[in-house]
């Protein structure tokens, strides 16, 4: 009897042990399956974001083709290729005191620079920033510009010496959609960024400001109305005469460059003393079937306020990179419990800002503590295991690398259009290395390039891959800060009466 009981107990223990073992094995199998799902999401992302050099060269060609089409006719391309009427870039000989005013959103700033005729020497640089009162963003054009003119008057009144100079010259950076009519005039197409002053759409922006300056008793002339990218090119050219293009790559992105006037077919008969003109590409709207698009890009675009618009910008600019990463992490969370229970914060659009994404990407601590901190602070995801943190870093890397390499392809597209990529004029068996390649400078402004080390390194790497080392060594990318301020003041100097 006792033996029977013992035997029965042993069998029961064995059965229980087998059951526990089966549970453990089952958990491991389920865990492995969930991990495999996460790995598959990452693999699909890597394949969707593929930017091998062959593909980048296709993007280069597509950019150059779209530039040609945009110069040939209005509406002929996704690239607007807007004429700026700037044909006289600053060259370093400018002298005197000039002002700039930048209205870029909910703040505006006024700036004064003093030039002494020596390139790269800006001996005085004063800036004052002011918020735009909320009610003025939906009031009248007179109310808005009277407020700005009053602020400029106060700024000028603070000048230390009491001498009254000749008429002052002002450059105006107006970061809203404008149809340029001349270097110092342009018609407002529409408001963005929360402004809605109905009586201003269709009117000349510079005239509205000039009238307000007159009402305030200021002897100040609006000498130039410019886009901030054009200001970056002006500042770049002032410092280095070999500067032929400018790129802004920060929250948003845009590009402009110096084009031969006879290549602007849609404005036949237009003549300039220099034989060239700066063209504002509005390249954020560039699109090509060669761009590597993922389901995350498609969803982001569909849910944006401007679907089917600004496709290139949505893949490469700081406004969007963090949100693409968020969408990938959300997908991984839905497919597995790697990040624990699904946090509601993962479903909040744009909750992960790109600067924080960059901090995660560049976290070099052994336990990736910055990644853990940001996942906790932003998404309220606690105790993320190290292997999950490593996956997040990899996602950031894939998204950033694609963005930087596509930006590089866009830059080479511009160089190709103007014959500065080493391919122009090759005939009769001449190799690229036989050509005399001109030194070519591209001015770059924006935190994504200047502050994000890995983005910058990936962009440079792609530039060399596309152009080849022999050509790439002649192309210099220069960080150029405050084109919308100093650059605009320099254009006021170039076009002073």
């Amino acid at each position: 009897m006792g033996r029977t009981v013992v035997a029965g107990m042993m069998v029961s223990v064995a059965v229980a042990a087998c059951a526990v073992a089966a549970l453990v094995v089952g958990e491991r199998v389920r865990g492995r399956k969930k991990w495999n799902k996460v790995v598959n999401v990452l693999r699909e992302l890597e394949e969707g974001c593929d930017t091998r050099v062959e593909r980048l060269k296709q993007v280069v060609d597509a950019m150059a083709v779209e530039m040609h089409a945009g110069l040939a006719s209005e509406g002929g391309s996704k690239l607007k290729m807007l004429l700026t009427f700037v044909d006289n870039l600053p060259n370093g000989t400018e002298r005197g005191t000039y002002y700039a005013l930048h209205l870029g959103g909910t703040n505006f700033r006024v700036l004064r620079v003093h030039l002494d005729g020596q390139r790269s020497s800006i001996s005085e640089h004063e800036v004052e920033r002011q918020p735009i009162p909320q009610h003025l963003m939906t009031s009248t054009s007179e109310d808005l510009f009277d407020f700005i003119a009053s602020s400029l008057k106060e700024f000028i009144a603070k000048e230390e010496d009491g001498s009254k100079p000749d008429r002052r010259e002002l450059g105006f950076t107006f970061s809203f959609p404008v149809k340029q009519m001349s270097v110092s005039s342009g018609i407002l197409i529409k408001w963005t960024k929360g402004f809605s002053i109905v009586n201003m759409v269709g009117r000349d922006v510079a005239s509205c400001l000039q009238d307000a300056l007159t009402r305030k008793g200021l002897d100040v002339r609006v000498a130039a109305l410019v886009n901030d990218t054009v200001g970056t090119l002006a500042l770049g050219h002032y410092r280095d005469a070999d500067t032929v293009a400018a790129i802004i790559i920060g929250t948003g992105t845009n590009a402009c460059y110096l084009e031969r006037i006879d290549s602007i077919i849609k404005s036949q008969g237009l003549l300039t003393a220099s034989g060239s003109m700066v063209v504002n590409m509005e390249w954020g709207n560039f699109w090509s079937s060669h761009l590597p698009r993922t389901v995350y890009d498609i969803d982001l675009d569909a849910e944006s306020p401007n679907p089917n618009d600004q496709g290139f910008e949505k893949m490469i600019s700081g406004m969007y990179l963090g949100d693409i990463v968020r969408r990938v992490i959300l997908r991984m969370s839905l497919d597995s419990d790697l990040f624990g229970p699904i946090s509601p914060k993962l479903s909040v659009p744009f909750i992960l800002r790109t600067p924080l994404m960059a901090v995660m990407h560049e976290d070099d601590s052994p336990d990736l503590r910055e990644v853990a901190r940001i996942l906790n602070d932003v998404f309220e995801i606690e105790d993320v295991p190290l292997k999950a943190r490593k996956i997040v870093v990899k996602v950031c890397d894939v998204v950033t690398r694609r963005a930087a390499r596509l930006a590089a392809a866009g830059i080479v597209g511009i160089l190709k259009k103007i014959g500065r990529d080493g391919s122009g004029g090759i005939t009769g068996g001449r190799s690229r290395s036989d050509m005399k390649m001109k030194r070519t400078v591209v001015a770059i402004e924006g935190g994504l390039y200047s502050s994000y080390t890995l983005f910058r390194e990936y962009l440079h790497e792609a530039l060399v891959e596309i152009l080849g080392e022999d050509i790439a060594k002649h192309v210099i990318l220069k960080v150029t800060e405050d084109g919308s301020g100093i650059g605009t003041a320099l254009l006021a100097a170039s076009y002073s009466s």
Side-chain angles (χ1 to χ4, degrees):
M1 182 74 175
R3 287 177 180 175
T4 304
V5 170
V6 170
M9 289 175 66
M10 289 175 69
V11 169
S12 298
V13 169
V15 169
C18 287
V20 169
L23 280 170
V24 170
V25 170
E27 282 299 314
R28 283 179 179 170
V29 169
R30 278 191 291 275
R32 194 176 297 118
K33 282 182 178 176
K34 287 178 179 178
W35 175 250
N36 287 340
K37 283 185 177 180
V38 169
V39 171
N40 285 337
V41 170
L42 180 60
R43 187 181 300 118
E44 287 172 8
L45 178 71
E46 289 176 317
E47 290 170 358
C49 291
D50 173 50
T51 51
R52 280 171 292 188
V53 69
E54 296 80 12
R55 180 171 224 160
L56 293 179
K57 288 180 178 179
Q58 290 174 320
V59 174
V60 168
D61 291 342
M63 180 68 81
V65 167
E66 287 295 309
M67 290 172 73
H68 274 286
L71 291 173
S73 63
E74 293 292 349
S77 164
K78 281 286 229 178
L79 296 175
K80 291 188 174 70
M81 305 301 285
L82 302 173
L83 305 187
T84 65
F85 298 90
V86 172
D87 65 327
N88 181 27
L89 288 168
N91 58 22
T93 62
E94 294 80 9
R95 290 178 176 273
T97 300
Y98 300 92
Y99 296 81
L101 200 154
H102 180 203
L103 179 60
T106 54
N107 292 282
F108 81 96
R109 61 196 180 113
V110 60
L111 169 148
R112 174 175 57 239
V113 299
H114 183 73
L115 309 173
D116 58 13
Q118 298 175 39
R119 187 185 292 279
S120 299
S121 176
I122 299 172
S123 57
E124 185 183 328
H125 171 204
E126 294 178 42
V127 184
E128 191 170 285
R129 288 176 172 80
Q130 284 215 41
I132 298 284
Q134 191 78 30
H135 71 278
L136 291 181
M137 295 169 68
T138 54
S139 184
T140 65
S141 60
E142 288 77 16
D143 288 344
L144 174 65
F145 284 104
D146 280 353
F147 173 77
I148 291 171
S150 294
S151 300
L152 177 63
K153 187 173 185 176
E154 289 174 16
F155 180 78
I156 290 173
K158 293 174 187 173
E159 291 179 353
E160 291 179 350
D161 65 11
S163 62
K164 187 179 187 325
D166 296 333
R167 167 182 273 199
R168 295 175 173 90
E169 305 280 350
L170 171 82
F172 184 22
T173 302
F174 186 73
S175 299
F176 298 89
V178 163
K179 180 175 174 55
Q180 201 89 22
M181 306 305 290
S182 72
V183 74
S184 60
S185 65
I187 305 298
L188 176 65
I189 297 169
K190 64 177 180 180
W191 284 110
T192 56
K193 307 174 190 176
F195 281 79
S196 181
I197 300 171
V198 180
N199 77 331
M200 242 201 93
V201 175
R203 292 174 63 189
D204 180 6
V205 175
S207 290
C208 291
L209 175 59
Q210 189 69 69
D211 291 345
L213 296 173
T214 302
R215 283 195 296 273
K216 297 297 176 184
L218 285 170
D219 191 13
V220 176
R221 185 180 80 98
V222 181
L225 174 69
V226 299
N227 165 282
D228 48 4
T229 319
V230 179
T232 301
L233 178 55
L235 180 54
H237 194 270
Y238 178 82
R239 290 181 171 154
D240 191 323
D242 291 331
T243 305
V244 296
I247 314 295
I248 288 183
I249 187 152
T251 305
T253 186
N254 193 16
C256 70
Y257 72 105
L258 203 54
E259 179 62 273
R260 290 198 338 265
I261 201 73
D262 57 7
S263 294
I264 307 175
I265 299 167
K266 63 184 177 184
S267 293
Q268 283 184 328
L270 190 66
L271 296 174
T272 64
S274 65
S276 59
M277 181 183 289
V278 177
V279 173
N280 169 19
M281 292 174 62
E282 293 292 337
W283 87 345
N285 205 40
F286 169 67
W287 188 251
S288 163
S289 60
H290 298 299
L291 291 172
R293 201 181 197 202
T294 68
V295 64
Y296 309 105
D297 301 302
I298 293 167
D299 290 346
L300 184 151
D301 180 60
E303 295 165 21
S304 71
N306 56 340
N308 301 314
D309 200 25
Q310 298 296 102
F312 194 50
E313 180 169 82
K314 287 170 182 170
M315 296 175 89
I316 73 169
S317 80
M319 177 77 186
Y320 301 98
L321 299 188
D323 202 57
I324 296 170
V325 169
R326 175 194 67 82
R327 289 168 184 274
V328 179
I329 297 172
L330 174 59
R331 166 81 185 279
M332 288 176 169
S333 295
L334 293 170
D335 284 1
S336 78
D337 57 1
L338 184 65
F339 297 95
I342 297 170
S343 167
K345 292 290 181 75
L346 275 171
S347 298
V348 179
F350 298 102
I351 193 171
L352 178 62
R353 293 169 51 249
T354 298
L356 288 177
M357 184 208 83
V359 171
M360 291 198 294
H361 187 193
E362 298 185 328
D363 184 359
D364 58 1
S365 61
D367 58 350
L368 298 176
R369 70 177 71 96
E370 283 299 295
V371 177
R373 179 185 66 80
I374 290 167
L375 290 174
N376 188 12
D377 291 352
V378 176
F379 297 122
E380 298 178 355
I381 304 174
E382 298 177 352
D383 304 321
V384 178
L386 183 58
K387 70 175 183 177
R389 289 178 234 168
K390 288 179 178 177
I391 284 282
V392 169
V393 172
K394 184 62 180 172
V395 171
C396 294
D397 186 70
V398 172
V399 171
T400 298
R401 186 171 185 269
R402 178 187 69 165
R405 289 171 69 82
L406 289 178
I411 291 169
V412 179
I414 296 172
L415 300 183
K416 184 181 181 73
K417 169 68 184 70
I418 60 176
R420 294 290 189 103
D421 68 331
S423 65
I426 299 176
T427 58
R430 290 174 65 196
S431 70
R432 283 162 69 104
S433 59
D434 291 332
M435 293 188 59
K436 177 67 175 173
M437 179 70 185
K438 291 181 180 177
R439 181 174 179 274
T440 299
V441 178
V442 178
I444 301 193
E445 183 167 0
L448 202 58
Y449 180 84
S450 62
S451 303
Y452 194 169
T453 304
L454 286 172
F455 182 95
R456 187 167 62 250
E457 288 175 357
Y458 281 143
L459 193 154
H460 289 182
E461 175 187 83
L463 209 65
V464 174
E465 283 182 40
I466 300 166
L467 291 169
E469 287 188 18
D470 288 343
I471 301 300
K473 67 186 179 187
H474 297 284
V475 177
I476 297 104
L477 306 184
K478 281 193 176 183
V479 172
T480 307
E481 294 181 353
D482 200 17
S484 59
I486 300 172
T488 303
L490 292 169
L491 282 168
S494 294
Y495 285 92
S496 59
S497 54

